[in-house]
């Protein structure tokens, strides 16, 4: 049985395919204003027996492509526990939201937290700050890692933080130090969300922001433990969806 | 309905264009959220009718009552005793505050970070779109939270006749004495307004009417412990919302009819959702008409709401007032005894609320509790953390939601609610 999972995120659409228990494909495409078109594009040459969608566009997807939907929380839980069976805590920082999920030892969701309706502390925040500092998002983490010291950023609001950055630069603060301050601000926010649900080993760090080496290292320092970043941290949700489809298929076979 | 009532609305001083827009929106929302539900009890038709005439027939009834010399008293809180209003042959209407309206005008008077409920009360008045508030001979505020009591100072200036009941903050003897004094003063204010004095008989009559009304919603609640649930949470919420402004005797009869129908459903093991549907207890801030956002998200996500621990729900309707007393004063004591039990989060400490939530979760066999706080409502927001930890110790999963009346967070709320329901099923 071929089970597809699609995670329709605000910035990136991710696809995973599982065939007979093996992950046979993962792919990513940048999302646009025309989400359905990007969905069609990512599925163009793919065949599957079932498809499960998650992400903010999941209901829109179902209305147009059929299939099943699950929430991002369930998708990330399934995907993480599949890749890292010892996982008990998940931090996912995506383009527009931050999720913290605590799991029972059997992989069931115990508790979760999400940011509310603003982009504070998300990938989008990082992206806008990189822009304000005139660097590319892909180089931003390295830039921050080269800082001698941290310029504290007080505001978590994307708009306010941007003006804070501009005034720090105007005062002559080195760009890399401001970059470090921005990374630290994101980590502080993630840390307090992690503490609210309770941290237990092992911690999995997923989502696009997990690709940033500075966030990863600051996070490990902040929570005093290792944060495991899966090989392709952006596709965990899509993978979780494909797994959900597989489980459903197995149940149907049994009945 | 619009055409028949335009003159009436105009006489009440409503802004007809804005009011048309409000009714139009309400009609669509009601269609989408209520009339689209499957397998509703037949007896809910009465409530569909009430909603279709929400600014029509019921308002006409109020005006007819006024023409007979009866007084219409509006209020915003379950601490205003309807028994006393009925004892002077008055009509009690709960003024709804469940939608954003006239934000620009409201924010001239109130800070932006005021809770949606308070802003809404101002919005309806300032925009001149609520026929109820315009029909009132007196509007009663009550000193519950800081937000409300300060806002009433301003609202009182705008209203034709405004009366404030002070409330205690603790369940102490001194607190009870304060409540009794305040209720006695309110009783005198009603007597003065109506020109009728309250007798033992008229007060017993008032108590009986309200008791029957409460008993009817108690009976309705009890039927919701069945699996499959015989009625949706949305419909039960609507009944609890209409509780505040319908004619109490007709309302009681209509709820009793629902109960009869639900009894048959329970006996036949039929319901609105399949057996085994995840069951949610809602707890927290009141949801006034037409605030159906969160319940509709929950029930569209495939769960059923089996109880409301809320002022518009069981917290508000719990308990009856003793009907025995040889004097007006002893009956007033009975009223105080009943109202003093209400465990609103403005009280400190407020432990009985925690017990009631646990009790309700058990009674209605809830799989999880969704705690709902309005943004900027400190009492319930702060208490939600305690509620969460107490329930989790009992092994009851909790999801805490903070929101307001805006529609822009529906996507985020849906994700949270769906994830919570999935976690109950897994």
């Amino acid at each position: 049985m071929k089970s597809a999972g699609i995670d329709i995120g605000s910035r990136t659409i991710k696809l995973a395919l599982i065939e007979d228990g093996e992950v046979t494909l993962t792919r990513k495409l940048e999302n646009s204003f025309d989400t359905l078109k990007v969905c069609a594009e990512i599925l163009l040459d793919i065949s599957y027996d079932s498809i499960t969608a998650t992400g903010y566009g999941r209901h829109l997807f179902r209305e147009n492509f059929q299939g099943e939907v699950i929430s991002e929380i369930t998708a990330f839980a399934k995907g993480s526990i599949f890749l890292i069976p010892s996982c008990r805590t998940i931090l996912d920082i995506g383009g527009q939201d931050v999720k913290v999920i605590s799991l029972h030892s059997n992989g069931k969701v115990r508790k979760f937290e999400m940011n509310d309706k603003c982009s504070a502390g998300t990938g989008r925040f990082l992206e806008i700050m990189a822009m304000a500092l005139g660097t590319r998002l892909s180089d931003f983490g390295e830039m921050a890692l080269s800082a001698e010291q941290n310029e504290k950023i007080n505001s978590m609001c994307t708009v306010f933080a941007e003006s804070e950055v501009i005034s720090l630069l105007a005062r002559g603060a080195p760009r890399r130090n401001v970059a470090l301050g921005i990374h630290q601000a994101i980590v502080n926010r993630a840390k307090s969300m992690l503490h609210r649900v309770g941290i237990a080993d092992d911690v999995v760090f997923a989502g696009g922001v997990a690709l940033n080496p500075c966030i990863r290292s600051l996070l490990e320092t902040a929570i005093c433990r290792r944060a495991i970043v899966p090989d392709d941290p952006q596709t965990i949700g899509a993978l979780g969806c494909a797994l959900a489809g597989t489980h459903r298929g197995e149940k149907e076979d049994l009945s | 309905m619009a055409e028949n009532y335009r003159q009436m609305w105009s006489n009440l001083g409503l802004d007809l264009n804005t009011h048309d827009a409000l009714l139009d929106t309400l009609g669509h929302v009601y269609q989408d959220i209520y009339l689209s539900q499957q397998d509703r009890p037949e007896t809910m038709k009465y409530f569909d009718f009430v909603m279709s005439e929400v600014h029509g027939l019921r308002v006409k009834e109020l005006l007819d009552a006024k023409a007979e010399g009866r007084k219409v008293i509006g209020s915003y809180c379950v601490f205003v005793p309807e028994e006393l209003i009925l004892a002077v042959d008055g009509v009690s209407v709960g003024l709804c505050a469940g939608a954003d309206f006239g934000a620009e005008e409201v924010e001239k008077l109130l800070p932006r970070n005021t809770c949606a409920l308070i802003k809404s009360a101002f919005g309806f008045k300032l925009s001149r779109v609520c026929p109820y508030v315009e029909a009132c001979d007196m509007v009663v505020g009550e000193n519950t939270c800081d937000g409300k009591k300060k806002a009433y100072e301003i609202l009182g200036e705008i209203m034709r006749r405004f009366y404030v009941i002070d409330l205690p903050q603790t369940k102490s003897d001194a607190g009870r004495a304060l409540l009794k004094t305040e209720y006695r003063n309110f009783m005198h204010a009603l007597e003065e307004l109506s020109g009728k004095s309250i007798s033992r008989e008229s007060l017993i009559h008032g108590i009986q009417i309200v008791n029957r009304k409460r008993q009817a919603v108690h009976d309705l609640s009890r039927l919701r412990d069945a699996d499959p649930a015989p009625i949706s949470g949305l419909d039960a919420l609507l009944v609890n919302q209409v509780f505040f402004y319908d004619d109490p005797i007709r309302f009681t009869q209509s709820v009793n009819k629902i109960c009869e129908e639900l009894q048959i459903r329970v006996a036949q093991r039929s319901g609105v959702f399949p057996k085994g549907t995840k069951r949610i207890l809602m707890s927290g801030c009141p949801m006034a008409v037409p605030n159906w956002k969160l319940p509709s998200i929950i029930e569209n996500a495939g769960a059923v709401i089996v109880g409301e621990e809320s002022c518009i729900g069981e917290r508000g309707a719990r308990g009856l007032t003793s009907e025995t007393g040889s004097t007006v004063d002893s009956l007033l004591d009975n009223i105080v005894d009943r109202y003093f039990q209400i465990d609103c989060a403005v009280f400190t400490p407020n432990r009985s609320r925690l017990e009631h939530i646990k009790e309700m979760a058990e009674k209605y066999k809830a799989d999880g509790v969704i705690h709902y706080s309005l943004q900027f409502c400190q009492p319930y927001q702060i208490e939600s953390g305690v509620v969460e930890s107490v329930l989790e110790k009992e092994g009851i999963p909790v999801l805490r939601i903070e929101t307001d009346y805006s529609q822009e967070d529906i996507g985020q709320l849906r994700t949270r609610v769906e994830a919570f329901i999935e976690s109950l099923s897994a």
Side-chain angles (χ1 to χ4, degrees), chain B residues 116-135:
Chain B
L117 191 97
I118 298 174
K119 277 188 178 177
S120 176
F122 274 63
F124 279 111
K125 176 66 190 164
L126 294 169
S127 314
R128 294 186 289 123
V129 289
C130 175
Y132 291 92
V133 73
E134 303 306 332

mmCIF file with all atom_site columns, all heavy atoms in Angstrom, chain B residues 116-135:
data_model
loop_
_atom_site.group_PDB
_atom_site.id
_atom_site.type_symbol
_atom_site.label_atom_id
_atom_site.label_alt_id
_atom_site.label_comp_id
_atom_site.label_asym_id
_atom_site.label_entity_id
_atom_site.label_seq_id
_atom_site.pdbx_PDB_ins_code
_atom_site.Cartn_x
_atom_site.Cartn_y
_atom_site.Cartn_z
_atom_site.occupancy
_atom_site.B_iso_or_equiv
_atom_site.pdbx_formal_charge
_atom_site.auth_seq_id
_atom_site.auth_comp_id
_atom_site.auth_asym_id
_atom_site.auth_atom_id
_atom_site.pdbx_PDB_model_num
ATOM 1   N N   . ALA B 1 116 ? -13.939 41.284 25.440 1.00 0.00 ? 116 ALA B N   1
ATOM 2   C CA  . ALA B 1 116 ? -14.908 41.409 24.348 1.00 0.00 ? 116 ALA B CA  1
ATOM 3   C C   . ALA B 1 116 ? -16.341 41.554 24.852 1.00 0.00 ? 116 ALA B C   1
ATOM 4   O O   . ALA B 1 116 ? -17.174 42.206 24.230 1.00 0.00 ? 116 ALA B O   1
ATOM 5   C CB  . ALA B 1 116 ? -14.797 40.199 23.428 1.00 0.00 ? 116 ALA B CB  1
ATOM 6   N N   . LEU B 1 117 ? -16.626 40.934 25.999 1.00 0.00 ? 117 LEU B N   1
ATOM 7   C CA  . LEU B 1 117 ? -17.986 40.976 26.542 1.00 0.00 ? 117 LEU B CA  1
ATOM 8   C C   . LEU B 1 117 ? -18.367 42.409 26.941 1.00 0.00 ? 117 LEU B C   1
ATOM 9   O O   . LEU B 1 117 ? -19.453 42.897 26.637 1.00 0.00 ? 117 LEU B O   1
ATOM 10  C CB  . LEU B 1 117 ? -18.054 40.044 27.756 1.00 0.00 ? 117 LEU B CB  1
ATOM 11  C CG  . LEU B 1 117 ? -19.427 39.755 28.312 1.00 0.00 ? 117 LEU B CG  1
ATOM 12  C CD1 . LEU B 1 117 ? -19.933 38.441 27.744 1.00 0.00 ? 117 LEU B CD1 1
ATOM 13  C CD2 . LEU B 1 117 ? -19.395 39.666 29.824 1.00 0.00 ? 117 LEU B CD2 1
ATOM 14  N N   . ILE B 1 118 ? -17.462 43.078 27.607 1.00 0.00 ? 118 ILE B N   1
ATOM 15  C CA  . ILE B 1 118 ? -17.726 44.452 28.041 1.00 0.00 ? 118 ILE B CA  1
ATOM 16  C C   . ILE B 1 118 ? -17.819 45.372 26.831 1.00 0.00 ? 118 ILE B C   1
ATOM 17  O O   . ILE B 1 118 ? -18.736 46.185 26.717 1.00 0.00 ? 118 ILE B O   1
ATOM 18  C CB  . ILE B 1 118 ? -16.610 44.926 29.011 1.00 0.00 ? 118 ILE B CB  1
ATOM 19  C CG1 . ILE B 1 118 ? -16.596 44.061 30.272 1.00 0.00 ? 118 ILE B CG1 1
ATOM 20  C CG2 . ILE B 1 118 ? -16.785 46.403 29.345 1.00 0.00 ? 118 ILE B CG2 1
ATOM 21  C CD1 . ILE B 1 118 ? -15.448 44.346 31.222 1.00 0.00 ? 118 ILE B CD1 1
ATOM 22  N N   . LYS B 1 119 ? -16.879 45.183 25.909 1.00 0.00 ? 119 LYS B N   1
ATOM 23  C CA  . LYS B 1 119 ? -16.895 46.025 24.703 1.00 0.00 ? 119 LYS B CA  1
ATOM 24  C C   . LYS B 1 119 ? -18.198 45.842 23.938 1.00 0.00 ? 119 LYS B C   1
ATOM 25  O O   . LYS B 1 119 ? -18.746 46.786 23.393 1.00 0.00 ? 119 LYS B O   1
ATOM 26  C CB  . LYS B 1 119 ? -15.743 45.620 23.784 1.00 0.00 ? 119 LYS B CB  1
ATOM 27  C CG  . LYS B 1 119 ? -14.431 46.233 24.124 1.00 0.00 ? 119 LYS B CG  1
ATOM 28  C CD  . LYS B 1 119 ? -13.483 45.871 23.002 1.00 0.00 ? 119 LYS B CD  1
ATOM 29  C CE  . LYS B 1 119 ? -12.130 46.468 23.198 1.00 0.00 ? 119 LYS B CE  1
ATOM 30  N NZ  . LYS B 1 119 ? -11.216 46.034 22.137 1.00 0.00 ? 119 LYS B NZ  1
ATOM 31  N N   . SER B 1 120 ? -18.664 44.594 23.897 1.00 0.00 ? 120 SER B N   1
ATOM 32  C CA  . SER B 1 120 ? -19.869 44.302 23.150 1.00 0.00 ? 120 SER B CA  1
ATOM 33  C C   . SER B 1 120 ? -21.078 45.008 23.761 1.00 0.00 ? 120 SER B C   1
ATOM 34  O O   . SER B 1 120 ? -21.923 45.562 23.047 1.00 0.00 ? 120 SER B O   1
ATOM 35  C CB  . SER B 1 120 ? -20.076 42.790 23.125 1.00 0.00 ? 120 SER B CB  1
ATOM 36  O OG  . SER B 1 120 ? -21.271 42.483 22.493 1.00 0.00 ? 120 SER B OG  1
ATOM 37  N N   . ALA B 1 121 ? -21.161 45.003 25.094 1.00 0.00 ? 121 ALA B N   1
ATOM 38  C CA  . ALA B 1 121 ? -22.277 45.682 25.763 1.00 0.00 ? 121 ALA B CA  1
ATOM 39  C C   . ALA B 1 121 ? -22.295 47.158 25.370 1.00 0.00 ? 121 ALA B C   1
ATOM 40  O O   . ALA B 1 121 ? -23.359 47.736 25.102 1.00 0.00 ? 121 ALA B O   1
ATOM 41  C CB  . ALA B 1 121 ? -22.146 45.537 27.279 1.00 0.00 ? 121 ALA B CB  1
ATOM 42  N N   . PHE B 1 122 ? -21.118 47.747 25.299 1.00 0.00 ? 122 PHE B N   1
ATOM 43  C CA  . PHE B 1 122 ? -21.020 49.150 24.884 1.00 0.00 ? 122 PHE B CA  1
ATOM 44  C C   . PHE B 1 122 ? -21.370 49.300 23.405 1.00 0.00 ? 122 PHE B C   1
ATOM 45  O O   . PHE B 1 122 ? -22.058 50.240 23.005 1.00 0.00 ? 122 PHE B O   1
ATOM 46  C CB  . PHE B 1 122 ? -19.586 49.670 25.118 1.00 0.00 ? 122 PHE B CB  1
ATOM 47  C CG  . PHE B 1 122 ? -19.345 50.179 26.511 1.00 0.00 ? 122 PHE B CG  1
ATOM 48  C CD1 . PHE B 1 122 ? -19.448 49.324 27.604 1.00 0.00 ? 122 PHE B CD1 1
ATOM 49  C CD2 . PHE B 1 122 ? -18.998 51.503 26.734 1.00 0.00 ? 122 PHE B CD2 1
ATOM 50  C CE1 . PHE B 1 122 ? -19.220 49.790 28.888 1.00 0.00 ? 122 PHE B CE1 1
ATOM 51  C CE2 . PHE B 1 122 ? -18.773 51.985 28.013 1.00 0.00 ? 122 PHE B CE2 1
ATOM 52  C CZ  . PHE B 1 122 ? -18.875 51.134 29.099 1.00 0.00 ? 122 PHE B CZ  1
ATOM 53  N N   . GLY B 1 123 ? -20.859 48.353 22.619 1.00 0.00 ? 123 GLY B N   1
ATOM 54  C CA  . GLY B 1 123 ? -21.046 48.429 21.170 1.00 0.00 ? 123 GLY B CA  1
ATOM 55  C C   . GLY B 1 123 ? -22.511 48.417 20.788 1.00 0.00 ? 123 GLY B C   1
ATOM 56  O O   . GLY B 1 123 ? -22.961 49.203 19.947 1.00 0.00 ? 123 GLY B O   1
ATOM 57  N N   . PHE B 1 124 ? -23.288 47.530 21.414 1.00 0.00 ? 124 PHE B N   1
ATOM 58  C CA  . PHE B 1 124 ? -24.710 47.440 21.079 1.00 0.00 ? 124 PHE B CA  1
ATOM 59  C C   . PHE B 1 124 ? -25.446 48.718 21.464 1.00 0.00 ? 124 PHE B C   1
ATOM 60  O O   . PHE B 1 124 ? -26.317 49.191 20.741 1.00 0.00 ? 124 PHE B O   1
ATOM 61  C CB  . PHE B 1 124 ? -25.344 46.219 21.764 1.00 0.00 ? 124 PHE B CB  1
ATOM 62  C CG  . PHE B 1 124 ? -25.078 44.937 21.024 1.00 0.00 ? 124 PHE B CG  1
ATOM 63  C CD1 . PHE B 1 124 ? -24.252 43.954 21.559 1.00 0.00 ? 124 PHE B CD1 1
ATOM 64  C CD2 . PHE B 1 124 ? -25.645 44.713 19.772 1.00 0.00 ? 124 PHE B CD2 1
ATOM 65  C CE1 . PHE B 1 124 ? -24.002 42.776 20.863 1.00 0.00 ? 124 PHE B CE1 1
ATOM 66  C CE2 . PHE B 1 124 ? -25.406 43.541 19.067 1.00 0.00 ? 124 PHE B CE2 1
ATOM 67  C CZ  . PHE B 1 124 ? -24.574 42.563 19.610 1.00 0.00 ? 124 PHE B CZ  1
ATOM 68  N N   . LYS B 1 125 ? -25.056 49.275 22.611 1.00 0.00 ? 125 LYS B N   1
ATOM 69  C CA  . LYS B 1 125 ? -25.722 50.506 23.052 1.00 0.00 ? 125 LYS B CA  1
ATOM 70  C C   . LYS B 1 125 ? -25.326 51.686 22.160 1.00 0.00 ? 125 LYS B C   1
ATOM 71  O O   . LYS B 1 125 ? -26.186 52.424 21.670 1.00 0.00 ? 125 LYS B O   1
ATOM 72  C CB  . LYS B 1 125 ? -25.348 50.779 24.525 1.00 0.00 ? 125 LYS B CB  1
ATOM 73  C CG  . LYS B 1 125 ? -25.901 52.072 25.087 1.00 0.00 ? 125 LYS B CG  1
ATOM 74  C CD  . LYS B 1 125 ? -27.420 52.057 25.170 1.00 0.00 ? 125 LYS B CD  1
ATOM 75  C CE  . LYS B 1 125 ? -27.984 53.448 25.503 1.00 0.00 ? 125 LYS B CE  1
ATOM 76  N NZ  . LYS B 1 125 ? -29.419 53.522 25.228 1.00 0.00 ? 125 LYS B NZ  1
ATOM 77  N N   . LEU B 1 126 ? -24.018 51.824 21.943 1.00 0.00 ? 126 LEU B N   1
ATOM 78  C CA  . LEU B 1 126 ? -23.547 52.999 21.205 1.00 0.00 ? 126 LEU B CA  1
ATOM 79  C C   . LEU B 1 126 ? -23.969 52.969 19.732 1.00 0.00 ? 126 LEU B C   1
ATOM 80  O O   . LEU B 1 126 ? -24.200 54.021 19.133 1.00 0.00 ? 126 LEU B O   1
ATOM 81  C CB  . LEU B 1 126 ? -22.017 53.107 21.295 1.00 0.00 ? 126 LEU B CB  1
ATOM 82  C CG  . LEU B 1 126 ? -21.456 53.398 22.685 1.00 0.00 ? 126 LEU B CG  1
ATOM 83  C CD1 . LEU B 1 126 ? -19.947 53.216 22.692 1.00 0.00 ? 126 LEU B CD1 1
ATOM 84  C CD2 . LEU B 1 126 ? -21.830 54.794 23.158 1.00 0.00 ? 126 LEU B CD2 1
ATOM 85  N N   . SER B 1 127 ? -24.064 51.754 19.176 1.00 0.00 ? 127 SER B N   1
ATOM 86  C CA  . SER B 1 127 ? -24.443 51.667 17.763 1.00 0.00 ? 127 SER B CA  1
ATOM 87  C C   . SER B 1 127 ? -25.953 51.702 17.570 1.00 0.00 ? 127 SER B C   1
ATOM 88  O O   . SER B 1 127 ? -26.425 51.652 16.440 1.00 0.00 ? 127 SER B O   1
ATOM 89  C CB  . SER B 1 127 ? -23.915 50.376 17.141 1.00 0.00 ? 127 SER B CB  1
ATOM 90  O OG  . SER B 1 127 ? -22.593 50.160 17.480 1.00 0.00 ? 127 SER B OG  1
ATOM 91  N N   . ARG B 1 128 ? -26.705 51.700 18.645 1.00 0.00 ? 128 ARG B N   1
ATOM 92  C CA  . ARG B 1 128 ? -28.180 51.707 18.602 1.00 0.00 ? 128 ARG B CA  1
ATOM 93  C C   . ARG B 1 128 ? -28.706 50.572 17.724 1.00 0.00 ? 128 ARG B C   1
ATOM 94  O O   . ARG B 1 128 ? -29.431 50.788 16.760 1.00 0.00 ? 128 ARG B O   1
ATOM 95  C CB  . ARG B 1 128 ? -28.699 53.074 18.103 1.00 0.00 ? 128 ARG B CB  1
ATOM 96  C CG  . ARG B 1 128 ? -28.388 54.199 19.083 1.00 0.00 ? 128 ARG B CG  1
ATOM 97  C CD  . ARG B 1 128 ? -29.017 55.498 18.666 1.00 0.00 ? 128 ARG B CD  1
ATOM 98  N NE  . ARG B 1 128 ? -28.351 56.037 17.480 1.00 0.00 ? 128 ARG B NE  1
ATOM 99  C CZ  . ARG B 1 128 ? -28.955 56.318 16.344 1.00 0.00 ? 128 ARG B CZ  1
ATOM 100 N NH1 . ARG B 1 128 ? -30.260 56.147 16.211 1.00 0.00 ? 128 ARG B NH1 1
ATOM 101 N NH2 . ARG B 1 128 ? -28.274 56.793 15.324 1.00 0.00 ? 128 ARG B NH2 1
ATOM 102 N N   . VAL B 1 129 ? -28.284 49.340 18.048 1.00 0.00 ? 129 VAL B N   1
ATOM 103 C CA  . VAL B 1 129 ? -28.768 48.192 17.287 1.00 0.00 ? 129 VAL B CA  1
ATOM 104 C C   . VAL B 1 129 ? -29.465 47.161 18.162 1.00 0.00 ? 129 VAL B C   1
ATOM 105 O O   . VAL B 1 129 ? -29.883 46.118 17.678 1.00 0.00 ? 129 VAL B O   1
ATOM 106 C CB  . VAL B 1 129 ? -27.612 47.483 16.521 1.00 0.00 ? 129 VAL B CB  1
ATOM 107 C CG1 . VAL B 1 129 ? -27.125 48.349 15.374 1.00 0.00 ? 129 VAL B CG1 1
ATOM 108 C CG2 . VAL B 1 129 ? -26.467 47.115 17.456 1.00 0.00 ? 129 VAL B CG2 1
ATOM 109 N N   . CYS B 1 130 ? -29.573 47.429 19.470 1.00 0.00 ? 130 CYS B N   1
ATOM 110 C CA  . CYS B 1 130 ? -30.202 46.437 20.342 1.00 0.00 ? 130 CYS B CA  1
ATOM 111 C C   . CYS B 1 130 ? -31.552 46.956 20.821 1.00 0.00 ? 130 CYS B C   1
ATOM 112 O O   . CYS B 1 130 ? -31.626 47.872 21.642 1.00 0.00 ? 130 CYS B O   1
ATOM 113 C CB  . CYS B 1 130 ? -29.309 46.140 21.543 1.00 0.00 ? 130 CYS B CB  1
ATOM 114 S SG  . CYS B 1 130 ? -30.107 45.045 22.715 1.00 0.00 ? 130 CYS B SG  1
ATOM 115 N N   . PRO B 1 131 ? -32.656 46.376 20.314 1.00 0.00 ? 131 PRO B N   1
ATOM 116 C CA  . PRO B 1 131 ? -33.976 46.850 20.727 1.00 0.00 ? 131 PRO B CA  1
ATOM 117 C C   . PRO B 1 131 ? -34.250 46.563 22.207 1.00 0.00 ? 131 PRO B C   1
ATOM 118 O O   . PRO B 1 131 ? -35.045 47.261 22.840 1.00 0.00 ? 131 PRO B O   1
ATOM 119 C CB  . PRO B 1 131 ? -34.932 46.071 19.826 1.00 0.00 ? 131 PRO B CB  1
ATOM 120 C CG  . PRO B 1 131 ? -34.178 44.883 19.362 1.00 0.00 ? 131 PRO B CG  1
ATOM 121 C CD  . PRO B 1 131 ? -32.737 45.272 19.335 1.00 0.00 ? 131 PRO B CD  1
ATOM 122 N N   . TYR B 1 132 ? -33.591 45.534 22.741 1.00 0.00 ? 132 TYR B N   1
ATOM 123 C CA  . TYR B 1 132 ? -33.828 45.194 24.145 1.00 0.00 ? 132 TYR B CA  1
ATOM 124 C C   . TYR B 1 132 ? -33.356 46.308 25.069 1.00 0.00 ? 132 TYR B C   1
ATOM 125 O O   . TYR B 1 132 ? -34.079 46.762 25.945 1.00 0.00 ? 132 TYR B O   1
ATOM 126 C CB  . TYR B 1 132 ? -33.113 43.882 24.509 1.00 0.00 ? 132 TYR B CB  1
ATOM 127 C CG  . TYR B 1 132 ? -33.730 42.679 23.848 1.00 0.00 ? 132 TYR B CG  1
ATOM 128 C CD1 . TYR B 1 132 ? -33.258 42.223 22.630 1.00 0.00 ? 132 TYR B CD1 1
ATOM 129 C CD2 . TYR B 1 132 ? -34.815 42.033 24.423 1.00 0.00 ? 132 TYR B CD2 1
ATOM 130 C CE1 . TYR B 1 132 ? -33.839 41.131 21.999 1.00 0.00 ? 132 TYR B CE1 1
ATOM 131 C CE2 . TYR B 1 132 ? -35.401 40.943 23.812 1.00 0.00 ? 132 TYR B CE2 1
ATOM 132 C CZ  . TYR B 1 132 ? -34.912 40.497 22.598 1.00 0.00 ? 132 TYR B CZ  1
ATOM 133 O OH  . TYR B 1 132 ? -35.496 39.428 21.982 1.00 0.00 ? 132 TYR B OH  1
ATOM 134 N N   . VAL B 1 133 ? -32.105 46.719 24.850 1.00 0.00 ? 133 VAL B N   1
ATOM 135 C CA  . VAL B 1 133 ? -31.568 47.731 25.761 1.00 0.00 ? 133 VAL B CA  1
ATOM 136 C C   . VAL B 1 133 ? -32.361 49.030 25.621 1.00 0.00 ? 133 VAL B C   1
ATOM 137 O O   . VAL B 1 133 ? -32.600 49.731 26.611 1.00 0.00 ? 133 VAL B O   1
ATOM 138 C CB  . VAL B 1 133 ? -30.031 47.903 25.555 1.00 0.00 ? 133 VAL B CB  1
ATOM 139 C CG1 . VAL B 1 133 ? -29.684 48.617 24.281 1.00 0.00 ? 133 VAL B CG1 1
ATOM 140 C CG2 . VAL B 1 133 ? -29.413 48.628 26.741 1.00 0.00 ? 133 VAL B CG2 1
ATOM 141 N N   . GLU B 1 134 ? -32.828 49.312 24.391 1.00 0.00 ? 134 GLU B N   1
ATOM 142 C CA  . GLU B 1 134 ? -33.595 50.546 24.197 1.00 0.00 ? 134 GLU B CA  1
ATOM 143 C C   . GLU B 1 134 ? -34.989 50.442 24.829 1.00 0.00 ? 134 GLU B C   1
ATOM 144 O O   . GLU B 1 134 ? -35.588 51.450 25.174 1.00 0.00 ? 134 GLU B O   1
ATOM 145 C CB  . GLU B 1 134 ? -33.721 50.877 22.709 1.00 0.00 ? 134 GLU B CB  1
ATOM 146 C CG  . GLU B 1 134 ? -32.392 51.025 21.959 1.00 0.00 ? 134 GLU B CG  1
ATOM 147 C CD  . GLU B 1 134 ? -31.415 52.027 22.589 1.00 0.00 ? 134 GLU B CD  1
ATOM 148 O OE1 . GLU B 1 134 ? -31.889 52.983 23.248 1.00 0.00 ? 134 GLU B OE1 1
ATOM 149 O OE2 . GLU B 1 134 ? -30.189 51.837 22.429 1.00 0.00 ? 134 GLU B OE2 1
ATOM 150 N N   . ALA B 1 135 ? -35.487 49.210 24.953 1.00 0.00 ? 135 ALA B N   1
ATOM 151 C CA  . ALA B 1 135 ? -36.832 49.033 25.525 1.00 0.00 ? 135 ALA B CA  1
ATOM 152 C C   . ALA B 1 135 ? -36.812 49.035 27.055 1.00 0.00 ? 135 ALA B C   1
ATOM 153 O O   . ALA B 1 135 ? -37.857 49.085 27.691 1.00 0.00 ? 135 ALA B O   1
ATOM 154 C CB  . ALA B 1 135 ? -37.434 47.725 25.015 1.00 0.00 ? 135 ALA B CB  1
#
